[in-house]
Amino acid sequence: MNKGIIALVVVLVLLVIYGFSGYNSLVTLNEGADAQWSKVEAQYQRRLDLIPNLVNSVKGVLTQEQTVFGDIAAARTAYGSAATPDQKAAAASQVEGALGRLLVVMENYPQLNSSQTVRDLMTQLEGTENRISVERTRFNDAVLAYNTAIKRFPKNILAAVTGFGERSYFKAASGAEVAPTVNLE
């Protein structure tokens, strides 16, 4: 056999092996990002499960704050109907804004803080918010690893050929850095 043909076969075999290996690594990174998003969603669901208990505990004392309760219900509904991670992230930001307004209302009513039920729920909600923050960070780390892999040569060629596209990072909604205000006058 000709040495040129053997060299060509060896190169082709190495390219095929690299192709399979590269493809598998992209699949692994993509699935890792999906799995991490599932963890974010689990924490969002935990929050959404706590909210009705908190709202019902607070409602008994604050019947005049119906707007805040309506906003929370609308935000929970928006999250439930969201289909994509981007839509769910936007709906989660809406939930956060509504919760922020509820917390401001609660601060203006010290008698609420004396309720053991409200205190317990607030502690659970605070813990959930911390968990959400951790899982969002981990999700963005997973997306960073995936996006970096599909942009680096030569995997960028493999990614383009096999349909791996860039993923979106979780970003806070615009205005999220501003604390909500509640005017009770």
Side-chain angles (χ1 to χ4, degrees):
M1 242 176 153
N2 186 344
K3 288 184 181 183
I5 293 175
I6 292 173
L8 182 61
V9 169
V10 168
V11 168
L12 287 176
V13 168
L14 289 176
L15 284 174
V16 167
I17 290 171
Y18 173 78
F20 283 125
S21 174
Y23 179 81
N24 287 339
S25 70
L26 291 176
V27 168
T28 300
L29 290 169
N30 191 45
E31 290 301 313
D34 285 344
Q36 190 55 50
W37 180 253
S38 294
K39 291 177 184 179
V40 172
E41 283 188 308
Q43 294 308 317
Y44 282 160
Q45 187 60 52
R46 183 176 193 274
R47 180 198 316 169
L48 292 175
D49 292 343
L50 287 171
I51 289 172
N53 296 325
L54 179 62
V55 168
N56 287 333
S57 297
V58 174
K59 257 186 188 178
V61 180
L62 298 177
T63 55
Q64 73 272 26
E65 298 302 328
Q66 295 303 317
T67 303
V68 173
F69 300 129
D71 291 348
I72 290 172
R76 286 185 76 231
T77 300
Y79 183 83
S81 63
T84 67
D86 289 341
Q87 291 171 340
K88 287 186 185 242
S93 294
Q94 193 178 358
V95 170
E96 289 162 11
L99 277 177
R101 288 188 296 281
L102 177 63
L103 296 177
V104 170
V105 167
M106 289 178 58
E107 287 174 5
N108 289 318
Y109 290 88
Q111 71 270 26
L112 281 176
N113 292 325
S114 65
S115 165
Q116 184 65 39
T117 303
V118 171
R119 269 198 318 258
D120 291 347
L121 288 168
M122 289 303 300
T123 299
Q124 288 184 36
L125 195 56
E126 181 180 280
T128 299
E129 293 302 320
N130 290 336
R131 288 181 183 121
I132 288 170
S133 177
V134 167
E135 297 302 341
R136 283 178 183 161
T137 299
R138 289 178 180 163
F139 171 74
N140 280 347
D141 290 345
V143 169
L144 173 65
Y146 169 79
N147 284 348
T148 300
I150 67 166
K151 290 178 181 178
R152 293 180 74 190
F153 182 80
K155 280 190 184 169
N156 62 341
I157 296 168
L158 181 62
V161 169
T162 55
F164 286 95
E166 190 171 356
R167 295 184 66 129
S168 298
Y169 291 98
F170 179 87
K171 295 177 185 162
S174 62
E177 69 281 355
V178 178
T181 57
V182 175
N183 184 358
L184 299 176
E185 295 175 21

